[in-house]
Amino acid sequence: LPSPSPSPSPSPFPVPSPTVLIDTDLDINGTDVNDTDTDVDLCEETSGSLAVGFVAAMGSVAFFGTNYLPIKKFDSGDGMFFQWVMCSGIFFVGFLVYCYRGFTEFYPYALVGGASWATGNCMAVPVVNRIGLGLGIVVWSLGNLVVGWCLGTFGILG
């Protein structure tokens, strides 16, 4: 008889099982026919990706922390060329990922977020040139935290 496999050791960072409530009883107008929800466990899809997520987060921290360094080293003028090159690079990499993932579903609301980010990013060069990279990133991050908290707390977007 094969020996039973050892049970996995408990994680030092307990991760709760994410559960999504899917409402399957909507009529054509989107109103609830009967109020029953189905629980779907998302851990089956995301198991084993916690380490990959942390590595990706650290990589994004390193790259995000250095993407504005050329502004301080070289004359960037009014910043529009810098913005164009940066957005073109982001679009190119995003399109490659979209192709790699097999042309998954397209979400047009993401365009609104990208357009608002690009508009705000036009101010990156003047901000870095006037108040510096460190203080600029602190102000941007504080704004992101406050907006994210408001969206999560008050549910502005649903």
Side-chain angles (χ1 to χ4, degrees), residues 121-135:
N121 200 45
C122 286
M123 303 309 304
V125 172
V127 166
V128 170
N129 286 336
R130 286 178 177 76
I131 66 172
L133 183 61
L135 186 57

Side-chain angles (χ1 to χ4, degrees), residues 26 39 41 45 67 81 97 112 114 117 122 124-125 129 133 148 152 157:
L26 299 179
D39 290 342
D41 191 8
E45 296 176 16
N67 67 343
F81 179 74
V97 169
V112 175
W117 174 83
C122 286
V125 172
N129 286 336
L133 183 61
L157 296 177

Side-chain angles (χ1 to χ4, degrees), residues 7 10 15-16 29-30 38 57-58 65 71 79 84 87 93 103 107 116 118 123 126 131 138 146-148:
S7 62
V15 179
N29 296 325
T38 305
M58 291 299 111
I71 297 174
W84 177 69
C87 286
V93 170
F103 301 99
Y107 298 99
S116 64
M123 303 309 304
I131 66 172
V138 166
V146 169
V147 169

Side-chain angles (χ1 to χ4, degrees), residues 132-150:
L133 183 61
L135 186 57
I137 296 235
V138 166
V139 171
W140 287 321
S141 298
L142 178 65
N144 287 336
L145 286 171
V146 169
V147 169
W149 177 81
C150 287

